[in-house]
Amino acid sequence: MAPTKKRNVSSKSNAKRDKIDLEGVVELILESRKHANDVFDILEFLQSEKEEDVICAVNACCKLFCTLLERKDLFIGKLPGEDASLNGGHSAEMKYKIFMRHRYNSCVEIMLEHLNHETHEVKESALCCLMKFAEGQGQHPLEDLDWSEHFSFPRELIQAVVHNLLSQSSDNSLLISRFQEFLEMEDVRYYVMSSIRENVATVMEKNKGAVLPVYQSNVFILMSNINMPSQNSELTNFMVKQEAKHEDWRAAKLNDHKRAFERMWLGFLKYKLPKSMYKKVLVILHESILPHMSKPTLMIDFLTAAYDVGGAISLLALNGLFVLIHQHNLDYPDFYKKLYNLLEPSVFHVKYRARFFHLANLFLSSSHLPVYLVAAFAKRLARLALSAPPTALLIVLPFICNLIRRHPSCRVLIHKPTLEDELLEDPYVMEEEDPALCHALDSSLWEIKTLQRHYHPDVAKAAMLINTPLSEQEDDISEVLEITAYELMERDLKLSQGKGAPLEFETATHLLKGGGEVLGQHFCLV
């Protein structure tokens, strides 16, 4: 229902307001219609500057109007203007219902404004009250259902709630988390998803697709709080139970839920997002979004745009593409080329280094990859290793060895026969972006040979591994993915502390008392 712009809330003095017992006022209104005008006192309290007064008024309004809805004491149908109803030929009962319906509309409008109140307790109380109103309207509709295909559900009220939750100026994450319990109801979830899609389209088009960090953050939090069912049999919890044709209701069909879910996410992701938002979306993509979409491959445009952002976001975008390729048969020939171009010196120093190598190991785990491709990755990593810190080298060296184990044809990179008088010029082209054209197979892993003289003994030992035949068992790199320079130093210090320093077998005595003679005797013993 659309809230009326005219609230008709009369003003009362503060002294009188302080003395009003709101619970008693509600009881009087419900007992006799002659006390109907007392509703203005409740609405006046609802707009108080005192937090306690507002919360009490919210509870009073909730009890009053939920009871009136249940009694059918609110006007049903197209609401006439209040002045017209007084002058028209309506009965006293109808005038009362029209009067109370106008008061109800004013109450809803104020409640919606309170969703943006500065105090969370007021926001939460208003939200819970509005959802009780929605439940009451669903069970006792305020509109005439005069056609058979119409199902009773307070769509306009839910749209208004969603509109206020998705504020463009204030962070509503706490209030949205409170709203999550209502999203467990199937019909509420369905109409909230539709409302989000419509709201995003309206707001973003109005702002010409510009990035709106606060608004888009609120939208993402609300969407990520939606838990989708996986089977039709799970659709059992409804706020409004349809009396007829319940099984034909879109909110009761899993396919329609998936369609609404898909349209909601695609409508949100087609616009440019704040940089931090890409990462949040990509982290939950393969577990919380793709499984509930009718056509997951439609996400390719978003993933391609996310890759262009760079850094960790590019890696996470490739993870999403990898899921689409392996689980949804997406044909994306540039996948490994994009992964190859992410191998830069900075990858060893960023905080997502462990995640990068974990995913890279997953992407390159197939034994059916072309030899030239695997050789290109091994060679590029070896070249980057020349300037990498020890913590990164303890990841990279076993990583390269694992690549060679999976693809024995790459052993040529280790055992490259050369003539004595041959010029030592590396044919590998580091600047080439296409792994097929970088001539990795024509080169060798001389960089690892160089690292055998590394200052850190653990790195030198790991590099020595290529001097011996590699075992079939791959090295487990998960143990070193998270290692830090501090941990590496602590480990080295513990090793050095474990070894006792060589001491003289006889305890020195009177070292500083006997002059040079005693001191000389001890030097002789040593």
Side-chain angles (χ1 to χ4, degrees), residues 9 30 68 109 148 239 265 285 380 492:
V9 178
L30 294 176
L68 293 177
E109 185 178 357
S148 59
M239 185 174 76
W265 275 105
L285 183 70
R380 189 173 183 90
D492 292 343

Side-chain angles (χ1 to χ4, degrees), residues 300-350:
I300 186 171
D301 290 336
F302 165 72
L303 291 171
T304 303
Y307 173 84
D308 295 333
V309 174
I313 295 172
S314 297
L315 175 65
L316 292 171
L318 286 182
N319 187 33
L321 288 169
F322 186 76
V323 173
L324 292 180
I325 292 170
H326 280 259
Q327 298 181 10
H328 303 283
N329 300 318
L330 174 69
D331 183 20
Y332 195 76
D334 289 339
F335 177 82
Y336 285 100
K337 180 179 177 181
K338 289 182 177 294
L339 177 62
Y340 180 78
N341 288 314
L342 290 181
L343 293 176
E344 297 288 343
S346 60
V347 79
F348 298 128
H349 305 279
V350 292

